[in-house]
Amino acid sequence: MKVFWQLEAPQRRSLLILFAAGLFFWSSMGSLLPTLPAYVSDVGGTPQQVGIVMGSFAIGLLVFRPWLGRMVDQRSRKLVLLIGAVVAAIAPLCYLFVKSIPLLIAIRIFHGISIAAWTTAYNALVVDISPISYRGELIGYMSLVTPIGIAIGPAVGGLLQGAFGYQPLFLFAGGLGMLAFLGGNQIHEPKIEHKPDTSLQSSTQQNSRKFWEILVSPPLLVPSLVLLLVGLAFGALSTFVPLFIRETKVDFNAGWFYTSAAISSFSSRLFIGRASDRYGRGLFITASICFYGVAMLLLSYANSPNSFLLAGILEGAGSGTLLPMMIALISDRSSPQERGRVFAVCISGFDLGIAIAGGVLGSVVQYFGYRGIFTISTGLILLALIIFMAISNKNLANSWLFAWGKAPDIYALNYAELEKHAQK
């Protein structure tokens, strides 16, 4: 944590306010994780409809994230952050008045804009403020808002819904979104020079790249593919774990699954950021994918509170390591002038996975059951691991060494500075 005191006072203040606002935002999101699938089911939704409603959240992410990414680069990081907070405040209130499946789908699509805006702007602001040599460490610390919020939100949301019903739950989620807006409005946004260095033709070309040019570029294609496959598994978790627990009749509150995952995620983020600045991102991405795979496999056999709890802990360790490391990796491979677009493109892989998971895997339930969903998810995670270890760098040999922390990232724009810092 000493790295915070090495920053200038305005930078430190902005990061602390940003952290607090992020905590409110993710608590709002988390409060609906164990409760909204049950709400959709209680208003008459079938398992497939529950999957479609929950997965439609990602449609808002997919449709709006590229546009919001351009806005982050061309207009303002802070403006996009506030858009995310406003949507997070309004959407939960809409659930109060809706019991129709088509309208719930529409609201979930709208709600998805919140994460598309918030995560793109939040990550760009953190990277802008962070010195390159300590980028991984600060990203790790600042990403703690997600597991803390996802730990607090489901626990409080589940208790509110159980004790008082859905109305106080949705009011609580909307109020947290408004607090995120008030906090985000106090952040000082650092100025970014948007004019490319005309002495570097490659920089000029990068700054003018379009969505598909960014996506198919070798440095960014593999992170997008890995996030797509992990997104499918995460979509299965966020949509079907509460219903799976209910079906097994295990005496276990689904909120505690997400809380245990969040605590595990929090613990891993305390250490991996700083370590990745020294040992590289590859080793920790490989480990995180392995944790995810074991969690999915364990869920496919879970039949007791302890097995669900252990699966949550392993999933939390995987997500707590993978997402910050992917953000750091993408940051290493992108320039400040196109960082918003790059985040939007690569993280859209994760969004697409969530969107596909709800509808596609929901239709699988009737044939293979919930256990079958998590068995399929295990295979998807294994595929992500193979892709990362084989083509994450310039050739198979470099990719293999990078994936095990034995070689630096050749695609990193700040390759020399990262290597120098790692040798200290």
Side-chain angles (χ1 to χ4, degrees):
M1 291 290 187
K2 292 189 293 185
V3 67
F4 276 99
W5 302 108
Q6 297 174 8
L7 300 174
E8 296 179 1
Q11 295 173 314
R12 188 164 57 248
R13 177 180 178 274
S14 290
L15 284 177
L16 291 174
I17 294 175
L18 188 60
F19 189 95
L23 187 59
F24 290 128
F25 178 86
W26 286 110
S27 295
S28 174
M29 296 294 112
S31 67
L32 301 178
L33 276 176
T35 52
L36 198 55
Y39 177 72
V40 178
S41 180
D42 288 344
V43 298
T46 65
Q48 185 174 11
Q49 288 174 327
V50 171
I52 292 172
V53 171
M54 298 303 294
S56 62
F57 185 88
I59 296 175
L61 276 73
L62 285 168
V63 172
F64 288 93
R65 199 189 284 276
W67 174 68
L68 291 165
R70 288 193 297 272
M71 184 182 291
V72 162
D73 289 332
Q74 299 170 5
R75 293 284 300 278
S76 166
R77 324 291 210 208
K78 181 177 176 178
L79 173 62
V80 176
L81 190 84
L82 295 179
I83 290 173
V86 167
V87 176
I90 294 173
L93 304 182
C94 297
Y95 295 123
L96 286 169
F97 309 102
V98 173
K99 297 185 184 299
S100 161
I101 298 299
L103 288 177
L104 283 171
I105 291 172
I107 295 172
R108 285 296 286 171
I109 292 172
F110 172 68
H111 205 171
I113 298 172
S114 62
I115 288 188
W118 186 273
T119 55
T120 304
Y122 184 94
N123 290 328
L125 281 167
V126 170
V127 173
D128 290 346
I129 296 171
S130 303
I132 292 175
S133 298
Y134 300 99
R135 177 179 288 167
E137 183 174 2
L138 284 170
I139 289 174
Y141 292 149
M142 292 300 293
S143 70
L144 288 171
V145 293
T146 305
I148 295 175
I150 298 300
I152 296 171
V156 177
L159 289 173
L160 275 175
Q161 188 276 328
F164 304 106
Y166 290 108
Q167 183 173 349
L169 166 69
F170 295 140
L171 290 172
F172 172 73
L176 290 174
M178 181 55 63
L179 289 174
F181 174 84
L182 295 175
N185 197 44
Q186 302 301 312
I187 295 166
H188 173 72
E189 180 179 3
K191 292 183 179 180
I192 301 297
E193 178 58 58
H194 290 280
K195 293 181 180 180
D197 185 353
T198 55
S199 66
L200 295 174
Q201 184 180 1
S202 62
S203 176
T204 303
Q205 291 172 345
Q206 282 187 340
N207 293 330
S208 62
R209 289 192 296 177
K210 294 181 171 59
F211 181 95
W212 291 110
E213 293 174 322
I214 293 173
L215 178 61
V216 301
S217 63
L220 301 173
L221 179 59
V222 169
S224 301
L225 285 174
V226 171
L227 287 172
L228 168 64
L229 294 168
V230 174
L232 284 163
F234 181 82
L237 281 171
S238 61
T239 303
F240 298 112
V241 164
L243 300 178
F244 180 34
I245 294 173
R246 179 187 290 185
E247 182 188 72
T248 59
K249 300 188 182 339
V250 172
D251 185 17
F252 183 69
N253 184 342
W256 292 114
F257 174 89
Y258 298 105
T259 299
S260 65
I263 293 171
S264 176
S265 178
F266 174 90
S267 302
S268 65
R269 292 174 198 238
L270 283 174
F271 308 104
I272 54 96
R274 183 175 183 180
S276 76
D277 285 330
R278 180 164 187 177
Y279 300 109
R281 323 297 187 198
L283 175 62
F284 299 95
I285 293 174
T286 299
S288 68
I289 298 173
C290 291
F291 279 127
Y292 245 112
V294 176
M296 294 300 108
L297 184 62
L298 184 58
L299 275 175
S300 68
Y301 291 98
N303 56 11
S304 68
N306 287 340
S307 57
F308 281 110
L309 197 62
L310 180 58
I313 292 170
L314 290 172
E315 188 277 330
S319 62
T321 304
L322 180 67
L323 295 178
M325 288 301 93
M326 279 298 189
I327 291 169
L329 182 72
I330 294 166
S331 301
D332 294 341
R333 297 179 176 188
S334 61
S335 66
Q337 293 81 11
E338 66 167 3
R339 191 161 286 144
R341 282 168 291 163
V342 168
F343 282 154
V345 170
C346 294
I347 300 176
S348 288
F350 191 72
D351 304 339
L352 180 60
I354 297 172
I356 295 172
V360 174
L361 296 180
S363 63
V364 170
V365 172
Q366 58 183 318
Y367 301 106
F368 302 104
Y370 292 111
R371 296 187 189 278
I373 286 178
F374 297 114
T375 300
I376 294 171
S377 297
T378 304
L380 294 171
I381 296 299
L382 178 60
L383 178 59
L385 180 63
I386 293 171
I387 289 173
F388 184 75
M389 296 179 71
I391 56 174
S392 62
N393 237 272
K394 288 199 171 182
N395 54 49
L396 177 59
N398 285 338
S399 297
W400 176 263
L401 292 172
F402 173 65
W404 291 108
K406 301 298 184 181
D409 182 12
I410 297 176
Y411 283 135
L413 299 185
N414 48 323
Y415 174 86
E417 186 165 351
L418 287 172
E419 188 174 33
K420 179 180 178 182
H421 181 71
Q423 293 172 352
K424 289 183 179 180

